[in-house]
Every structure is written in C-alpha cells, then in structure tokens.
Amino acid sequence: MSVAKQHVMSWGVGRALSGRAGEPATGAGTVVLENAEHLPALLGSDLVGPHSVILSPGAVETEGAPLVVGYEGSLSEPGGDLSIDDEFFLQSQDYATSAYMSVIGATLVRITEEADFEAFLADADRALAEGEFVSFVTDPAVQLADVSALGGGPAGDGPGTRLWVGPEGELSVSPGGSRIGTLGDSFATVQAAWEHLNSTSDKPCTVSLGAVLPEPDRAAALAERPWLGRYLAALNAVRELRARGLGEARVSGFGGRLAPAVQSETTRPADLTDAELPLLLWTDEAAYLHASGRTFRINRSAGELAEALLVHGSLDAAAAHADRDALARVESSFAAAGVHLRSGELLGAGK
C-alpha cells in the first residue's frame, strides 16, 4: 500500500520518485489505466518495465513485475474519488471550486479548464504581493497536479515518470494532457512525441495541460511570472510547517521580508526566481529554513542573516546589510549541512 500511495501521488503531481530521478527510462514509473481491458496489451508492451506500477480499474491479481494495483473510482474526473483496497482514498478536485470545498482527506487539485488556471494565477499573484497563501492549497492533505506545467520546471515529468491510458487507448502523461501516442506504440515513439511537443514551446512541459489550456496563454502567463516555481516551492514549505502543527508561516519574498531593510527597491532579489534556493519562513516564535525537503528551525537573528544572503546572492553584497563575520558563520554552518544559500552560478560569481 505504501508503494501504491507513493506512485499515485508521483503520477498525479508529475514528479519522479526519488529512486527513479535521473535513471535511464525503462518504461513509465507509473501508469494509470482508464479501461481494464487494456491491461494485457500494456503488459505486453515496453511502455512498462520491471519497476513500473500500473493502476487498473477493478480487482486485479497478477504475479511478478511490474506491480499491478487495482483501484475503484476515478483519477481523472474532477470531484471523483479513488480507493485502493478500502485503505487509501484520494479525491480529485478542480482548482476553481476547491476554495469552496472542505478538505477531508488526501486531495489532488487539478487545472481542468482556463477558469482554474486563472484562479491559480490570481492566488499566486496575491501571495507574491501580499504574502497571503490560500488555505486550501497549503493544506497538508492537498497536492497540486501537473506542477511542471504551472511553472515548477521540467524536473521528473514525462513518459519516464508517468503515463495515462485513456478509455480508447490514447496516451498522455495526464488526463488533461496532449496526446502523445496510442497503446501499441513503443516507449521510444511516445518519448519522442513528448519531446517534440515540448520543443514547440519556450516554457517547460507543454504536454501536461495541453488538452485544457491554449499553449500561448499558458506560456504568456509563465513568462509574466518567472517566480512561479518559487511560489510552488513556497506552497510545499508552508504545507510542511502546517503538517507539524506550526500554524501559518510568512515566507520571505512574498509580501515582505523577515528583515524588511535587507532588500533595496533598486536591487533585484537574487532569490526571486530560483526555485532551488532555500526558502526562509517565519512565525512569531521562530524562523525556518526549508531546503530540499528538509526544514531547519533557527532563531530569528540567524534567519535575518540567511535572508540577507538569499536576497543579495553574495557575501560581499549581503555585508552591506549585516555583519560580515556573522554572515560567513551562518553560510558555513548551512553549507556543512549540504544547504547552500546561493545558487550554483552565484556561488562561483561572488565572495
């Protein structure tokens, strides 16, 4: 059940499981079938490999690899519910109506039409300007689907991570995605189709929402908001703190800073668009540094020093706002834990 849950969420979000990230593709990591009659053809193809997990409607009994898991319900219909062995339940909701729904368990929130995308962008804009994150989207039980197409970058998405096999055997990476093949096509053919479609846009992952959003509109919205990857990372960080019972946290760069004087109005913040940089969060009691799935609790003084380094991107620039030796100690301390407060290119560009 634990394996099935991990694969369901990997498929829904569009993120490779940690063990598969960067490994050569040997079939899709997770495949969701809409029609159980397609299971024999899928098992006979190279769309799946020994490490794949297949979710198929109804009761399924198979031996060996790949693992086939039976499910009831739907993973593609907004408002639908999926259940596995009456032990794991997942609800799917469209974004625009999720603000009016109660979260009662694990929930996957999807962009299903342009109204959903517009609501997502409005919430992101408000978070950047005012520091207010919509409560449902930071609920620990909620995950956004297809994040690569929402500004989260290309990491992990594609046929090597996930496939959806529609009712007639059509193939995509998600129910709202562009068609990239038909059951019976080889994995290489499907991969090539995915790569070709992505090459037609200058923004990552045109496939995942290609059937529900006009690509020019999606690409223009992402171009206007190069910080969306940072916003998605902030959502994850706030969710983690809420899961620990720490309440609502402020996020540096969204509506303000822990130390407001650290940012000059004429200087572009170094941490505005780099989604891989750590995030500085704070509550009334403490500050937190969130990086690569880890969260460090630190005192507010250390938080202000870390924030100065994140905002200015170099020790020299940050030293205009805080004690240089203290900045160096904080930077060195986090570096020893494998956390760098400057992006890779800035690490080599300044002292």
Side-chain angles (χ1 to χ4, degrees):
M1 182 57 65
S2 176
V3 170
K5 288 167 61 176
Q6 291 175 21
H7 277 264
V8 167
M9 298 314 297
S10 168
W11 179 86
V13 173
R15 282 284 187 261
L17 293 171
S18 58
R20 286 184 63 91
E23 75 175 25
T26 54
T30 310
V31 182
V32 171
L33 288 172
E34 289 285 316
N35 185 344
E37 294 180 0
H38 292 140
L39 181 58
L42 179 65
L43 289 171
S45 74
D46 71 343
L47 297 175
V48 294
H51 302 294
S52 302
V53 170
I54 302 168
L55 287 104
S56 180
V60 179
E61 293 185 11
T62 61
E63 297 181 358
L67 175 65
V68 182
V69 178
Y71 72 88
E72 301 292 335
S74 174
L75 269 170
S76 60
E77 291 296 325
D81 295 292
L82 167 137
S83 65
I84 299 176
D85 289 340
D86 291 328
E87 293 183 33
F88 174 65
F89 300 87
L90 177 68
Q91 183 174 15
S92 296
Q93 293 181 358
D94 62 279
Y95 191 99
T97 61
S98 291
Y100 310 102
M101 307 286 285
S102 297
V103 176
I104 57 175
T107 302
L108 191 65
V109 174
R110 290 191 173 283
I111 304 298
T112 65
E113 59 181 0
E114 291 181 64
D116 291 326
F117 189 51
E118 292 168 0
F120 164 77
L121 294 174
D123 289 342
D125 288 342
R126 187 179 307 110
L128 182 69
E130 303 173 11
E132 295 183 8
F133 294 85
V134 177
S135 61
F136 82 84
V137 83
T138 58
D139 190 295
V142 169
Q143 289 288 334
L144 282 177
D146 309 315
V147 293
S148 292
L150 298 176
D157 210 349
T161 294
R162 58 176 182 160
L163 280 174
W164 176 71
V165 185
E168 305 302 321
E170 63 272 28
L171 300 178
S172 188
V173 294
S174 68
S178 302
R179 187 167 179 158
I180 54 175
T182 302
L183 190 61
D185 291 342
S186 69
F187 183 84
T189 298
V190 171
Q191 178 72 25
W194 180 80
E195 292 174 355
H196 170 71
L197 284 173
N198 277 308
S199 72
T200 64
S201 176
D202 62 353
K203 295 301 174 186
C205 202
T206 184
V207 174
S208 296
L209 295 174
V212 297
L213 290 181
E215 179 55 26
D217 294 348
R218 186 191 75 96
L222 267 59
E224 292 171 3
R225 300 168 177 84
W227 44 266
L228 277 175
R230 193 72 171 159
Y231 169 68
L232 292 169
L235 294 182
N236 287 333
V238 175
R239 279 192 208 107
E240 182 168 322
L241 290 190
R242 287 186 64 182
R244 297 184 182 190
L246 296 174
E248 296 291 347
R250 298 291 306 277
V251 183
S252 179
F254 289 85
R257 298 285 186 179
L258 175 61
V262 77
Q263 183 170 320
S264 167
E265 293 183 0
T266 60
T267 302
R268 178 179 176 273
D271 64 344
L272 181 63
T273 58
D274 190 343
E276 301 302 318
L277 278 176
L279 283 149
L280 192 283
L281 302 90
W282 74 93
T283 63
D284 291 340
E285 291 75 29
Y288 302 86
L289 195 77
H290 182 82
S292 304
R294 295 185 292 168
T295 301
F296 302 83
R297 177 173 174 145
I298 54 181
N299 62 47
R300 290 173 70 93
S301 296
E304 291 179 2
L305 294 167
E307 184 178 56
L309 289 162
L310 289 168
V311 168
H312 293 284
S314 75
L315 186 58
D316 286 343
H321 300 269
D323 180 76
R324 184 185 183 89
D325 290 340
L327 288 165
R329 287 194 296 271
V330 166
E331 183 174 44
S332 176
S333 176
F334 278 111
V339 176
H340 299 287
L341 302 181
R342 290 181 273 162
S343 66
E345 61 182 44
L346 287 173
L347 278 172
K351 295 182 179 180

